[in-house]
Amino acid sequence: MTGMHILLCLQGLKAEPWVEGLQAALPDATVSIWQPGAGQPPADYAVVWQPPQALLDEQPGLKALFNIGAGVDALVKLRVPPHTRIVRLDDAGMSVQMAEYVCQAVIRHFRELDAHEATMDQGRWAHRRPRLRADYPVGVMGLGVLGSRVARALTAFEFAVNGWSRSPRAVDGVRGYAGEAQLDDFLRASHILVCLLPLTPETEDILNHRTLGALRPGGYLVNVARGRHLVEADLLALLDEGHLAGATLDVFREEPLPAGHPFWSHPKLVLTPHTSAMTLRDDSIAQIVGKMRALAQGRPVAGLVDLDKAY
């Protein structure tokens, strides 16, 4: 690893702690922050989050880009040289966070904890008829690393879990559906829908009036993938029509969510600021270093991205 040069380009994030962590793990490497137009020497690898095209234009010889988040939709838009690999994190502590977040959202809705909170805030002691778990099957869209972990976690609470993915995936305890031909059957079999799909041209706007309308009456949405999966006006219409009981949203088409957006004041929505699963720096650095060493030694690595599939 002697002589390796690593650049960091982390839009909107503080890069210095990443530099320190990588330098400590790779003391013989040169680790620096990319400076646009600075004429920095050629680098071997870049650790990135939402990098601009200029990085690739100035560093055409990069062997690989290491993306510090689970989603690679920002990289798909770039002109990436054919010899430059894109490597995403496999987990880095995000899957357990995602499982925590989704399970609490599903359970909060199923157990009507929002209604209990409201009556207690009003000073009223009131019970509600327990719901039947069998009436609330959960559908998980996307069965990658995060989606599979979420689906398994939901089965631990004895929910019936359906899973849908582009190609067939087997997850213990989960009823699998795959491809466009089985999407409608998957939706009709689900009462609560969790979106964990990668954002691709095929999945953009997939949460629309038709697909959300196919959920069982009183359905509920949890979107922890990307804001551009959701047609916001269609969600609002289905909420106001009463077909959907509510939604928990962690991601939005525009972030931060603009002041005055109708989501802020809608009584059937629970909003969080894109915090369902945060990248854990130390875990991520350890994983990136391991993959750099594997690539340098010509060994295979997990997490290689197929740009044609966008994941």
Side-chain angles (χ1 to χ4, degrees):
M1 306 293 281
T2 302
M4 178 186 295
H5 183 198
I6 303 167
L7 285 176
L8 280 89
C9 179
L10 306 177
Q11 297 293 328
L13 300 175
K14 190 175 181 180
E16 286 79 6
W18 289 82
V19 171
E20 293 170 6
L22 285 165
Q23 194 68 78
L26 297 169
D28 294 330
T30 299
V31 185
S32 56
I33 299 171
W34 176 66
Q35 303 292 338
Q40 290 164 290
D44 299 288
Y45 301 112
V47 178
V48 302
W49 179 245
Q50 299 182 344
Q53 181 63 45
L55 170 66
L56 293 171
D57 294 343
E58 293 182 13
Q59 293 286 334
L62 287 170
K63 299 172 185 176
L65 297 174
F66 290 86
N67 192 59
I68 68 167
V72 296
D73 42 289
L75 299 181
V76 172
K77 302 173 185 176
L78 303 179
R79 298 184 303 278
V80 181
H83 61 269
T84 301
R85 301 181 185 184
I86 295 178
V87 187
R88 57 172 172 75
L89 298 180
D90 302 321
D91 185 337
M94 288 185 284
S95 67
V96 67
Q97 295 178 69
M98 191 65 80
E100 291 169 344
Y101 183 98
V102 171
C103 285
Q104 68 81 28
V106 169
I107 292 168
R108 185 173 188 271
H109 173 63
F110 170 66
R111 294 290 301 273
E112 298 185 275
L113 297 182
D114 53 345
H116 287 298
E117 291 165 4
T119 55
M120 295 297 277
D121 286 345
Q122 296 163 9
R124 293 193 296 117
W125 187 276
H127 290 282
R128 303 177 72 87
R129 182 186 299 275
R131 288 172 164 174
L132 298 178
R133 200 172 302 271
D135 293 337
Y136 285 80
V138 183
V140 178
M141 300 182 83
L143 293 175
V145 172
L146 300 183
S148 296
R149 180 68 174 84
V150 165
R152 289 195 300 270
L154 288 165
T155 64
F157 292 99
E158 300 184 17
F159 287 100
V161 180
N162 305 312
W164 182 83
S165 53
R166 179 176 178 176
S167 55
R169 298 281 183 92
V171 179
D172 288 345
V174 176
R175 183 179 181 183
Y177 297 81
E180 189 68 28
Q182 294 186 326
L183 177 58
D184 286 350
D185 289 342
F186 161 78
L187 293 167
R188 286 192 290 265
S190 303
H191 195 132
I192 301 173
L193 181 65
V194 180
C195 183
L196 275 157
L197 291 168
L199 182 63
T200 70
E202 290 75 27
T203 64
E204 185 168 358
D205 295 335
I206 195 170
L207 303 176
N208 54 50
H209 200 284
R210 188 193 72 79
T211 54
L212 295 176
L215 297 176
R216 296 183 181 185
Y220 194 87
L221 171 67
V222 180
N223 188 17
V224 286
R226 286 290 185 267
R228 283 162 54 198
H229 284 124
L230 175 64
V231 180
E232 296 178 345
D234 289 358
L235 172 62
L236 292 169
L238 287 165
L239 290 171
D240 294 341
E241 292 165 11
H243 183 75
L244 293 184
T248 294
L249 305 176
D250 185 55
V251 290
F252 308 91
R253 297 189 84 93
E254 182 178 350
E255 296 181 3
L257 188 64
H261 193 287
F263 281 179
W264 283 115
S265 57
H266 202 289
K268 295 181 179 180
L269 294 179
V270 176
L271 311 177
T272 54
H274 204 149
T275 191
S276 54
M278 306 295 287
T279 299
L280 301 181
R281 186 172 59 245
D282 290 347
D283 289 355
S284 300
I285 287 172
Q287 187 180 137
I288 289 169
V289 168
K291 293 187 177 192
M292 285 181 178
R293 286 178 171 148
L295 288 175
Q297 295 166 8
R299 294 185 283 115
V301 297
L304 291 177
V305 174
D306 184 337
L307 284 179
D308 292 332
K309 295 181 179 178
Y311 60 86

